[in-house]
Amino acid sequence: MAAPVNIIVGSHVWVEDPALAWVDGEVFKISGEEVHVHTTNGKTAVANISKVFPKDTEAPPGGVDDMTKLSYLHEPGVLHNLAMRYELNEIYTYTGNILIAINPFQRLPHLYDTHMMEQYKGAGFGELSPHVFAVADVAYKAMMNEGKSNSILVSGESGAGKTETTKMLMRYLAYLGGRSGVEGRTVEQQVLESNPVLEAFGNAKTVRNNNSSRFGKFVEIQFDKNGRISGAAVRTYLLERSRVCQISNPERNYHCFYLLCAAPPEVREKFKLGDPKSFHYLNQSSCYALDGVDDAQEYLTTIRAMDIVGISEEEQEAIFCVVAAILQLGNIEFAKGADVDSSVIKDEKSRFHLNMTAELLKCDIKSLENALIKRVMVTPEEIITRTLDPVAAVGSRDALSKTIYSRLFDWLVDKINFSIGQDPNSKQLIGVLDIYGFESFKLNSFEQFCINFTNEKLQQHFNQHVFKMEQEEYTKEEINWSYIEFVDNQDVLDLIEKKPGGIIALLDEACMFPKSTHETFAQKLFQTFKNNKRFIKPKLSRTSFTISHYAGEVTYLADLFLDKNKDYVVAEHQDLLTASKCSFVASLFPPAEESSKSSKFSSIGSRFKLQLQSLMETLNSTEPHYIRCVKPNNVLKPAIFENANIIQQLRCGGVLEAIRISCAGYPTRRTFYEFLHRFGVLAPEILAGNHDDKVACQMILDKMGLKGYQIGKTKVFLRAGQMAELDARRAEVLGNAARTIQRQIRTYIAWKEFIALRKAAIMLQSHWRGILACKLYEQLRRGAAALKIQKNFRRHIARESYLTVRQSATTLQTGLRAMTARNEFRFRKQTKAAIIIQAAFRCHVAYSYYKSLQKAALTTQCGWRRRVARRELRKLKMAARETGALKEAKDKLEKRVEELTWRLQLEKRLRTDLEEEKAQEIAKLRDALHAVEIQVEEANARVITEQEAARKAIEEAPPVIKETPVIVEDTEKVNSLAAEVENLKASLLSETKAAEEARNACTDAETRNAELVKKLEESERKVDQLQESVQRLEEKLANSESEIQVLRQQSLAMSPTGKSLTARQRAMILPRTPENGNVLNGETKDTTLALSNVREPESEEKPQKYLNEKQQENQDLLIKCISQNLGFSGSKPIAACVVYKCLLHWRSFEVERTTVFDRIIQTIASAIEVQDNNDVLAYWLSNSSTLLLLLQHTLKASGAASLTPQRRRATSASLFGRMSQGLRASPQSAGLSFLSGRGLGRLDDLRQVEAKYPALLFKQQLTAFLEKIYGMIRDNLKKEISPLLGLCIQVPRTSRASLVKGRSQSNAVAQQALIAHWQSIVKSLDHYLKIMKSNHVPPFLVRKVFTQIFSFINVQLFNSLLLRRECCSFSNGEYVKAGLAELEQWCSEATEEYAGSAWDELKHIRQAVGFLVIHQKPKKSLNEITKELCPVLSIQQLYRISTMYWDDKYGTHSVSSDVIAKMRVMMTEDSNNAVSSSFLLDDDSSIPFTVDDISKSLQQVDITDIDPPSLIRENSGFGFLLPRSE
């Protein structure tokens, strides 16, 4: 921070202020080395020019997120930048790669939620706003990439938020790493759960903090080779042991002592504890309780934490026994004994405490007393036991207390580590160091000396790291830095720790001499270090000394140094506690290796130095990262920024030291673009020339005559003070330009005044001439008006006379015409009434006669029809009694009679409506029935002929056998088959006769059925299909035996009992006519008996095997077919339609077990294995959605009684039964399909199939694949545009040509380059839309894809905008707005059919960008912003944008401070009301539709005109796919 060299009158500067540390102002006078400044707080300050620093007037109002970007890197600049950011709740700021965290003293949950973690995961350091997550992410990536352990050093004074920062670091590392192979609590949870235990035993109240950690904690988070958390450990360093025995006012001892004194009464009684004021170790200070802290409640919290950590109740009791014993031990006092230099227990009270201590530690009372007041000295000749004087006995007592407490603390740490679980095989870790910061109080003792020694060590480590980072920056930019000096504090460390002449060594030496006092120790220090520049002797004190630390001078009182440093390891103490009957106490003191009884000297200072050395070795083995925590005020309240306090902390934290290191080199660094943008005005001719940016920068610097600067690869490096010099030159140039502008403006104003005066004179003349003209005009107007009045008055008199005469004539005419009209109306009214009366009477007479005739006719008809029906019923009952021997036939006939009776009753109910059309219907029905009989007889004849041909084929079987898979082995089987054919012919004749009889019996009832014509036509169509099926089967099956057996097996599968092949099933290949719609049951039984003897097991198994093989071949062919890209027929996917038709024809939906569904799913899965092939994904998305739509309209879950034998029997009981059931009854022949040709139409015509479990499972799997394919297409598009979105959120920096006006061509090229990234996104959207259109993906799914993609774009752009301050600028808003216009144009071109509401998904980024580019923001009220400009954005989001906004184009300001204050109040209310305060948006990656949505949204699919693929078109097994003619 070199002194400025070009401060002039009018410069804006910083000067020192006793209250505010630094205050800004404007120089109004310079007198030699003195500068006179008008400050902004209304005062006048005078300072030496070397103590004045320039202020950057062009610094952004919200500060910069990295203070290395400051134009002036000095102490007031750093402080002002932190203050501006803290005012906007930006608590994190970088200084290079060091993070400064200012404690906000309030909840900021939006900074630490999962959304924020997702944003920082994988983001580059410095890419997003400063955050503790960014530091953790860098450490994690460095560990994973380089395989080296990393450490994060969290420092700061008490209350600065170190512990909270450590928690956030562990939370983020747990989020990144997870936990490998372990369920339940995370490592972060386990470490945090141990905090209450460590805080109870390691924290205490200090002058500045109520809960200050008095030890260093290094949390090792261990990772396996995959980067997952595999374990953790807590290492503790430098516990302040002396605090156990000595505390100063107003501090407290460790919390655990006070918690135990506030325990429940039974616990206090057990340990004989009382008020803390009664214990010597606690009453050295007047502070016993903390504000807002209930020690009794904290005791219970500590107990719970011990339970969670895994400390058993026995161990807890032993721990508190030890704590109580230390308190009791401190109350033991000593008095002089009878002998010289001897001591005894002072009184009974001390004796009581001695007994209590022995009881709690479970050791011998006498042994304890001897260990306190006696020492055993081992000489070569003998062992001597000597007594200690009271002072030495007190030292012995305190040494025992410190040793016990230290061992207890170490045991707790080991227990916690065992609970968390360490990974001994871990090769890499991230350590988080939370250690006390630099301390400087009014009275500083040995504790502050040790703490500041630790911080000096850490500061040296920090300085080396900062200098290393500077070196890396200079090396990266390839500049010469060899002459830069390194700021080091090794001289202070030598003063403290060097052997043999350091302060710690001299202190240990003084402690070893019994006669040494604090005065002799201080005099030794004064003599030894009188020439050391870091050591200062105070003038007014004989026992104080001052050390000049890196953070400032600290004066230490040497009065208690000797007492606090003594830490004898007394053998008697070791033996006493090793022999304790309490296993816990004995475990704290395992037997020592040395058997000597002598006391071994040890000091806390030496032990502290060794532990510090161990810590530094650990840190040196890791890659360090630094977080400096700052406490903004001492009242611990939000929104208070105390400058002096923070400056002191920045000094103590080494931040200003890091700035000094930067200032020793090149504190100001600017990229070529930034340098030219700011200082291009110094040499406009260079900008206008065609020079490279680097060359242009060099030329400007040379023109200004600067020396010592460096030009790197991408940046200009300026020495301290050179930035101020350039700014002064720039201010001079701008001042001259301003004066030129002022001169021109004044000329313009004078000219405007002259023009205004001339215009005023002309206006006066014009007005006067106008007045004269008005007077002349008034005279002429009055004369014309008089003439008009006379003319109009005369016309009025004449008109009044004429109107009076005309009105009289009109009145006479009206009266005469009205009288004539009334007479005519009266005559017509009378005539009409007479006609109405006559008509009504004649209607009544005719209607009465008609009703009587109608009633008589109905009575006659009903009687006659009832008589005929009873006669028919008697005939049917007689026929039923004649066939009583056959029970099954009887049951069926009774059912038929009941059915006929029901239909008769139905006809009676319908007779009234059909009476008038009775004669015509009977005639038509007879004609139709006669025609049907003729057709059925012809069909019977054709079938019999076909059976004869089949018999001949059997006789000619030997040559045919060679061509078919069925082999006839011997003649006997051929004969049996021939006999079976003869039996079938006989069965055909018998069934024909039975059908004729049944038809005759039912003719009278059926003739009155209104639906007979339609159902008979359906029967005729089925007979035609039967004939065609038989013909096709005959052509494609060379062996008639296989044909007949296949039909038998399928008929058997459909039989009610499933046990015997009845004649009715065997005859299913016969033509079904209205006469023989069902064969008589008697004949059926006879035929069954006749055929049961000729049936053989061998003849059934082989056809069944052939059937399975044939079905398997068909399935293989289908799978092979759909594995190819079959394309589309119109807009319908061929593969989906073919699969659906095949599954429906094969009845696959109704079987309990099949493999075809799994094979189809496997085919789809194998097709979409290549996730990047969007064409294939879109093809299968179209097919799967269409197939799912067909299944949704076809399948229904089967009920409990569906497809039972009774249902099937009832379905096929009669022709009328089949017709009444409609299409629910499936065809019972393999060659018969209702799906052929005209049988299948639109979705409305599809029949419902009661699906079994495999079909329903197939539907679920298909739904899952549809969602998976949809997600893959969506994610592929996201992956493609994600890199582009990162480029679209921030306007690319244009070349230097854009800085020079008048280059329209280069500006046009630059504009084209600016929009290129957005056009790339539009191209990606077009590409995907084209793919989905070409594959006929349903528009509903296309809309969903683009809606989610635009939502993703909205989330990514909006979150990046809120996290990166450089994006919240005016020019960046214009850039993003132009890009959004490209997207809007795309939505318009894509039409609403495919884009849907995608544009509405960008509402957040659209409103945010609209806010950035709107003018006159300070004039906008909060209501206008929230209701009109940005109604969608939350208060947190608006506050974030408002505070981060900066105008890089016009230099305007953001919204007013009043609006900001109102926003802050509303945010506080929201946080109090537990409203989510996260300002980031969340990307929704769920599937945004259901199967029902698809079913409702997709159009109906007509699959009747789908041509099968060539691969299966010629195959006879897929003949049903061919279109049929009507």
Side-chain angles (χ1 to χ4, degrees), residues 735-751:
N736 292 333
R739 283 189 287 274
T740 301
I741 293 171
Q742 289 170 354
R743 184 170 64 249
Q744 295 293 332
I745 286 293
R746 288 172 183 145
T747 301
Y748 174 74
I749 291 172
W751 179 76

Side-chain angles (χ1 to χ4, degrees), residues 402-416:
K402 289 186 284 189
T403 303
I404 293 175
Y405 194 83
S406 175
R407 297 283 182 95
L408 174 63
F409 188 78
D410 293 341
W411 183 91
L412 285 170
V413 173
D414 292 340
K415 187 70 176 180
I416 288 170

Side-chain angles (χ1 to χ4, degrees), residues 927-1087:
D927 293 341
L929 184 60
H930 182 67
V932 169
E933 287 174 0
I934 294 172
Q935 292 176 0
V936 172
E937 287 174 0
E938 290 175 357
N940 288 340
R942 285 198 300 271
V943 172
I944 292 171
T945 303
E946 290 166 359
Q947 292 302 315
E948 288 295 327
R951 184 178 62 78
K952 290 178 182 180
I954 294 172
E955 292 173 356
E956 297 170 0
V960 177
I961 289 172
K962 297 178 182 179
E963 299 176 0
T964 61
V966 180
I967 300 175
V968 181
E969 296 180 353
D970 50 22
T971 308
E972 182 179 356
K973 289 186 178 180
V974 174
N975 295 335
S976 67
L977 290 174
E980 186 172 335
V981 171
E982 293 297 330
N983 290 334
L984 286 173
K985 291 170 64 180
S987 175
L988 175 63
L989 294 175
S990 64
E991 288 192 4
T992 302
K993 294 178 181 179
E996 183 69 22
E997 293 175 1
R999 185 184 61 80
N1000 293 333
C1002 300
T1003 299
D1004 293 338
E1006 291 174 352
T1007 54
R1008 289 185 295 273
N1009 190 345
E1011 300 178 357
L1012 184 61
V1013 176
K1014 185 192 300 184
K1015 295 182 179 179
L1016 287 176
E1017 288 175 353
E1018 182 73 16
S1019 177
E1020 178 186 358
R1021 185 173 63 80
K1022 293 179 182 178
V1023 170
D1024 291 341
Q1025 291 175 350
L1026 176 62
Q1027 292 171 355
E1028 293 175 2
S1029 300
V1030 171
Q1031 184 178 357
R1032 287 202 311 276
L1033 288 172
E1034 189 175 43
E1035 291 173 355
K1036 69 184 177 182
L1037 297 178
N1039 194 316
S1040 63
E1041 177 191 5
S1042 298
E1043 169 71 19
I1044 296 169
Q1045 291 298 337
V1046 167
L1047 295 176
R1048 286 176 57 204
Q1049 291 297 329
Q1050 293 200 357
S1051 298
L1052 179 62
M1054 296 299 294
S1055 67
T1057 61
K1059 297 180 180 179
S1060 64
L1061 180 63
T1062 63
R1064 179 160 50 84
Q1065 281 89 34
R1066 287 176 178 270
M1068 287 308 296
I1069 61 171
L1070 297 178
R1072 189 181 295 275
T1073 67
E1075 291 85 4
N1076 69 345
N1078 195 15
V1079 184
L1080 286 179
N1081 291 282
E1083 294 179 4
T1084 300
K1085 181 177 180 180
D1086 295 339
T1087 307

Side-chain angles (χ1 to χ4, degrees), residues 1220-1255:
S1220 65
Q1221 292 295 332
L1223 291 178
R1224 285 184 300 169
S1226 301
Q1228 298 182 5
S1229 169
L1232 184 61
S1233 172
F1234 284 108
L1235 298 176
S1236 59
R1238 60 191 177 182
L1240 188 63
R1242 299 172 302 138
L1243 284 177
D1244 295 341
D1245 301 329
L1246 296 181
R1247 64 188 180 92
Q1248 289 277 305
V1249 175
E1250 293 185 347
K1252 298 296 183 183
Y1253 173 73

Side-chain angles (χ1 to χ4, degrees), residues 848-991:
S848 300
Y849 179 70
Y850 164 75
K851 291 300 287 183
S852 63
L853 284 178
Q854 185 187 46
K855 184 174 181 182
L858 288 175
T859 305
T860 305
Q861 289 172 355
C862 289
W864 174 251
R865 288 170 184 155
R866 184 165 60 250
R867 183 177 178 186
V868 171
R870 285 175 179 167
R871 187 182 305 139
E872 290 295 330
L873 180 61
R874 282 196 297 271
K875 287 180 181 180
L876 290 175
K877 286 184 178 180
M878 289 174 64
R881 281 196 296 273
E882 290 174 0
T883 57
L886 301 174
K887 188 176 185 306
E888 181 179 357
K890 176 183 176 182
D891 294 338
K892 292 183 178 180
L893 285 174
E894 285 178 353
K895 290 180 181 178
R896 186 176 299 141
V897 169
E898 290 173 358
E899 181 181 355
L900 294 175
T901 305
W902 176 80
R903 294 199 175 276
L904 180 60
Q905 293 172 352
L906 178 63
E907 289 302 323
K908 287 180 179 180
R909 288 195 301 271
L910 298 174
R911 185 176 302 148
T912 303
D913 299 329
L914 300 176
E915 192 66 33
E916 294 179 359
E917 298 176 3
K918 178 173 62 177
Q920 291 89 344
E921 287 177 358
I922 291 173
K924 289 180 181 179
L925 289 174
R926 283 177 178 171
D927 293 341
L929 184 60
H930 182 67
V932 169
E933 287 174 0
I934 294 172
Q935 292 176 0
V936 172
E937 287 174 0
E938 290 175 357
N940 288 340
R942 285 198 300 271
V943 172
I944 292 171
T945 303
E946 290 166 359
Q947 292 302 315
E948 288 295 327
R951 184 178 62 78
K952 290 178 182 180
I954 294 172
E955 292 173 356
E956 297 170 0
V960 177
I961 289 172
K962 297 178 182 179
E963 299 176 0
T964 61
V966 180
I967 300 175
V968 181
E969 296 180 353
D970 50 22
T971 308
E972 182 179 356
K973 289 186 178 180
V974 174
N975 295 335
S976 67
L977 290 174
E980 186 172 335
V981 171
E982 293 297 330
N983 290 334
L984 286 173
K985 291 170 64 180
S987 175
L988 175 63
L989 294 175
S990 64
E991 288 192 4

Side-chain angles (χ1 to χ4, degrees), residues 300-344:
L300 300 177
T301 302
T302 305
I303 292 293
R304 283 195 295 271
M306 286 181 167
D307 292 334
I308 294 173
V309 168
I311 301 176
S312 64
E313 292 185 6
E314 293 78 8
E315 290 171 333
Q316 291 178 25
E317 184 173 350
I319 289 170
F320 287 117
C321 276
V322 171
V323 174
I326 292 173
L327 288 178
Q328 301 285 359
L329 187 61
N331 278 10
I332 300 175
E333 298 179 359
F334 304 94
K336 287 187 177 181
D339 299 332
V340 180
D341 291 337
S342 65
S343 59
V344 295

Side-chain angles (χ1 to χ4, degrees), residues 452-722:
N452 293 341
F453 171 42
T454 303
N455 281 275
E456 283 285 358
K457 271 284 190 185
L458 293 174
Q459 185 63 32
Q460 185 186 43
H461 186 263
F462 175 64
N463 289 351
Q464 291 170 350
H465 172 73
V466 171
F467 189 65
K468 178 183 173 186
M469 293 298 104
E470 290 285 310
Q471 287 179 345
E472 289 180 358
E473 174 76 7
Y474 298 155
T475 304
K476 176 183 172 184
E477 291 289 330
E478 298 179 359
I479 67 173
N480 180 22
W481 52 273
S482 57
Y483 59 87
I484 297 175
E485 296 180 0
F486 170 53
V487 180
D488 196 8
N489 60 343
Q490 185 61 46
D491 52 349
V492 182
L493 295 175
D494 291 341
L495 171 68
I496 296 174
E497 67 173 348
K498 187 177 180 180
K499 286 187 177 182
I503 293 177
I504 292 179
L506 294 177
L507 180 60
D508 289 348
E509 182 182 332
C511 290
M512 295 175 67
F513 290 100
K515 299 289 181 79
S516 294
T517 64
H518 52 275
E519 291 184 356
T520 60
F521 168 65
Q523 293 304 317
K524 182 72 172 175
L525 293 181
F526 297 152
Q527 294 173 8
T528 307
F529 304 118
K530 60 184 177 180
N531 296 324
N532 194 309
K533 63 179 182 179
R534 293 281 194 169
F535 186 89
I536 304 170
K537 177 185 177 185
K539 296 179 180 179
L540 302 178
S541 174
R542 298 180 59 190
T543 60
S544 300
F545 62 93
T546 301
I547 297 178
S548 179
H549 290 286
Y550 71 91
E553 295 180 356
V554 180
T555 300
Y556 299 99
L557 296 176
D559 295 2
L560 296 175
F561 265 54
L562 271 65
D563 295 337
K564 292 183 177 181
N565 185 52
K566 292 178 182 177
D567 186 32
Y568 291 97
V569 179
V570 182
E572 287 82 355
H573 297 171
Q574 174 80 28
D575 296 341
L576 171 73
L577 297 175
T578 302
S580 170
K581 296 178 183 178
C582 175
S583 58
F584 178 80
V585 176
S587 67
L588 297 180
F589 294 86
E593 296 180 0
E594 299 179 4
S595 59
S596 172
K597 293 294 182 179
S598 63
S599 299
K600 181 181 178 183
F601 174 77
S602 174
S603 71
I604 288 182
S606 300
R607 187 188 298 270
F608 200 92
K609 181 179 169 183
L610 291 174
Q611 286 191 336
L612 184 57
Q613 184 177 350
S614 171
L615 173 62
M616 296 311 298
E617 288 173 357
T618 302
L619 295 180
N620 289 329
S621 65
T622 62
E623 185 67 26
H625 307 271
Y626 293 92
I627 299 177
R628 294 297 190 239
C629 297
V630 176
K631 183 170 68 173
N633 57 76
N634 287 323
V635 293
L636 312 183
K637 291 183 178 180
I640 300 176
F641 193 88
E642 298 176 353
N643 290 0
N645 185 18
I646 290 175
I647 279 291
Q648 177 62 24
Q649 291 179 67
L650 293 178
R651 290 195 186 105
C652 296
V655 176
L656 300 183
E657 193 77 1
I659 292 173
R660 280 206 326 166
I661 294 174
S662 296
C663 289
Y666 301 97
T668 305
R669 302 123 193 225
R670 285 290 180 274
T671 62
F672 296 146
Y673 174 86
E674 292 171 344
F675 185 84
L676 291 175
H677 190 270
R678 181 158 181 161
F679 299 113
V681 295
L682 297 178
E685 70 281 359
I686 296 176
L687 282 183
N690 190 16
H691 301 293
D692 180 64
D693 285 357
K694 184 174 182 179
V695 175
C697 293
Q698 180 84 46
M699 294 173 70
I700 291 174
L701 289 167
D702 291 342
K703 181 180 178 181
M704 293 298 104
L706 297 184
K707 304 295 182 183
Y709 63 86
Q710 293 272 5
I711 302 280
K713 292 171 67 177
T714 62
K715 296 178 182 178
V716 176
F717 291 81
L718 300 177
R719 302 285 287 178
Q722 290 183 336

